[in-house]
Structures are given as C-alpha cells and as structure tokens.
Amino acid sequence: MALDIFKITGPVSLAGAVTISGSKNAALPIMAATILAPGKNTLLGIPNLSDISVMCKLMEDMGCKTNADGGSIAIDTTNIEKPFGDYEIVRKMRAGVCVLGPLLARQGRAEVSMPGGCAIGYRPVDIHLRGLQELGAKIELKNGYIVAHANGGLKGTNIFLGGPFGSSVLATANVLSAAVLAKGKTVIESAACEPEVTDLANCLVKMGAKISGIGSPQLTIHGVKHLNPVEYTVIPDRIEAGTFLAAAAITKGKLKLKNCRLEHLMAVVDKLRSMNIPVEETQDGCEISSNGRIQPTDITTLPYPGFPTDLQAQFMAVLCLANGNSVITEKIFPDRFMHIAELSRMAANLRKEGPHVIVSGVEKLIAAPVMASDLRASAALVVAALAAYGQTVVNRVYHIDRGYEKIEEKLNAVGAKIERQSV
Ligand code: EPZ
C-alpha cells in the first residue's frame, strides 16, 4: 500500500464549481445485490475508490466477473462458484458483509467472515444476523466466519430491526436483499431510511422485486422467484457533498456543487443556516457562500433524516473557528472521535465529555503534522487544513482514498493548495 501524504497550505478561500461523484455507500450494497440477479448487470455513477475495488475483488473471488470502466461497472453474476467472503477482504472493509443476505437468498448458504475491528468503535453485526434468522436462516459462528444455511429456502415474516442506536443501514440492506427472494410476505419494522437504503430498494424494484414503503421505516416485501439483471445509476454521494459544504464554510468560500441532491442534506443545510452560512438550491445541486463569520451551533447526529454521523468530524472542524461555543453529540457511534486529538494539534479547543464534545471557537487554526485515522476523521483534517495557517501534513491518506474520489484534484481546482506525495 502506498503511504501517501498530503501537504496542505492554508489558509485559502475556495471558489468555483465541484461535481459530486456517485455514492460509495449506495454503490457497495447495490453491487452485492447484483448477486440476486444472475446475468450481466451494469451499474453507473460508480466512484473510482479503493472500497469499490475491494468489493469487486470479493465478488470475483466467489466467481462473478467485474469490469470497471470510468464510472461504470459491469458485474456478471451468472456463476457463483463459492458463496464465500474471505476474512482478508472483509476485515479491510465492513461493507463486505453485505454479500451475506444476497448469497443466502440465491444459494441457500453463505460463509462470510465476521468483520474486524474498526477505528470508529465497536460495530457488531447482531442485527444483521437476527434479521436473517427470522427469515429462517440457521446461523453459526465458526473460526471467525458467519456460516449461514437456509435449506428449505427463506420464508417471509414480520421483523423488527431496531438496535440500541436506532436502525442499522447495512443490516436493513442485508435483510431486505434476502427478503426479496423469500417465500411470502416480509414486513421490516424500524428499517433504516437513509437514501442509500432507498437507492438499493429502487434498484431491487428495477430487478423485479416487490417492495412498498420505500424510504419509510416500514418496508413490505412480497417475495418473487427470481430477479433480472439491470442497468442502474446510483445516487450522488451526500457525504462527499456535505464535506465540500464544510470546506466552503470554513474557508469563507463560494462553491457550486453539481450532481448533488439537496433533499438528502436537509439537516446539514439547516445547521449551516443556523451557522449563518446560506445554501441555495440550484438546478442540479446547490450553491453555498460563507462570509467566514461562523455562528456556533449544536449538532446531534441521528439516523436519517437527522444530521449524519459521517459528517460529524468535518463539521467539528468548521465549528473550531466559530464565534463562540458549540456542542456536538454523537448518537450513532459514541466513540467516533479520533479526530479530536489531531484537531487539537492544530490549536483547536475541544473537550470531550462522554458522547459530547464542547467546541470552543478559536481565532485561528495552525498547521501541524497530523495522522488520518479513518475515512471521515481524515476528511475533517483536510477541511481544517484548508483554513489553517501554514503547511499541514496529513499522514496515512489511504484512509481518505477509500471514500473520496480525487479529493485533492477537486479541491485544487477550486483554489486549494494540496500536494500529494508518496513516502
Ligand atoms: C453505514 O454503516 C455506513 N457504511 C457508515 O459509513 C455510516 O457511518 C453508518 O451506516 C451510519 O450511518 C456503509 O454504508 C458502507 P449501522 P453500518 O449499522 O450500516 C449499531 C463511512 O464513513 N449496530 O447503521 O455498518 C452500530 O454499532 C461509513 O462511509 C448494532 O448494534 O452502520 C451503530 O451504533 C463509516 N448491531 C448503529 O447500530 C448491528 O448489527 C448504526 O450502525 C449493526 C449496527
């Protein structure tokens, strides 16, 4: 793995237009769902990211053929030779667990590694397993693998999918993907309502699945016997868009985001407005202009349509320069605060109290060498570095490359000064 670093010189003021890529977190479960539709599927709007390549590798290992070509991926799922998700792959990318439901529904069995540890905290998969068991799967854990069988086939039923922190995005994806081929009717209560789940449901419907209540916490599925391969375009990445909004906000910038669905970002737009940063809808996206006088605010992360946990770190960076004190509360992943120590190295004033962080606004951030720890925490360091005085060096940029397509090229095109170096 190349250990690239970013050298970021600030402060800058961003201006211009940025085109948002397709959504990573919509693409990954949709790729897995093509297992349900034997044949040649074509997915469009797929970002060129390392996580996408990892999912291709996982699917190729089981006998699928994948071919990525500038924003589209052809996935031929005609043959599944072994319904298996290797530890070496799933430990690198938790979304690998998304193949469990589709494999079980199509092949009647699956063996997928339990995902490994994660920098954003403990992330169990009990809700995934509970949902699949309710559909009739027999599940055992063996040598770190989830071994699942559905000998007589899966059977529809009523399933409650809530957990201690609300709904689960990928558990909903897994159980929904299994239920579309189950016999009879399934009702999923407390389904996740994130746009990425809606996108998966819409893709499954295009394959021939019968799903109602899409976008709501109650999904009703009438099982069908088989699904057909599709051509499908995934939604734009709302988290990438939100990250660029944060970058504009912190740099007194004026950015136009193209290929952005503002209706997926209402909680974020609402917070930006309360921070005195207007965002206007345009024909294919939005426009943000920040005069740099950022008002403090309180942010609580919640399941959709609440403020997304995947933007908590980036908005913490912005609030570091607000004109007063803000409180950030993390309600999805209570330990997702690896960025606090690194932002503090840049002269931010942050105090953690359990799942709350008190952000006392400072006059300026100062460049420092910092370490990327996970995808969104690293994005927060880039956002902070754009406004910080001096040259920030962000180490372990491979975390950012998992989820942001050409981030330095996109930012440099609107006025950032970021240099990538291989060390
Ligand atoms: C998805 O992860 C995203 N990943 C995450 O984005 C995102 O942060 C998260 O949803 C929340 O929005 C992908 O889509 C690939 P969850 P997921 O299950 O589905 C608890 C990024 O940066 N839980 O909705 O794995 C869990 O611990 C990534 O792009 C259980 O207790 O998250 C958490 O507290 C990081 N048992 C809460 O539910 C379970 O079986 C919500 O997690 C599953 C989850």
Side-chain angles (χ1 to χ4, degrees), residues 16 57 65 105 116 121 162 198 300 377-378 385:
K57 168 90 179 70
K65 295 195 178 83
T198 297
T300 300
S378 338

Side-chain angles (χ1 to χ4, degrees), residues 20 39 76 105 143 179-180 212-213 232 252 288 350 353 369 374 393 396 415:
I20 301 304
D76 185 343
N143 302 325
V180 290
S212 59
Y232 189 79
K252 304 183 192 182
I288 176 170
L350 302 166
E353 297 276 352
D374 68 84
V393 177
R396 300 196 182 167

Side-chain angles (χ1 to χ4, degrees), residues 24-25 123-127 165 168-170 310 332 376:
K24 164 182 87 79
N25 288 350
R123 296 172 71 187
V125 288
D126 56 308
I127 305 175
F165 299 93
S168 161
V169 174
L170 293 183
D310 288 348
I332 309 292
R376 309 301 171 187

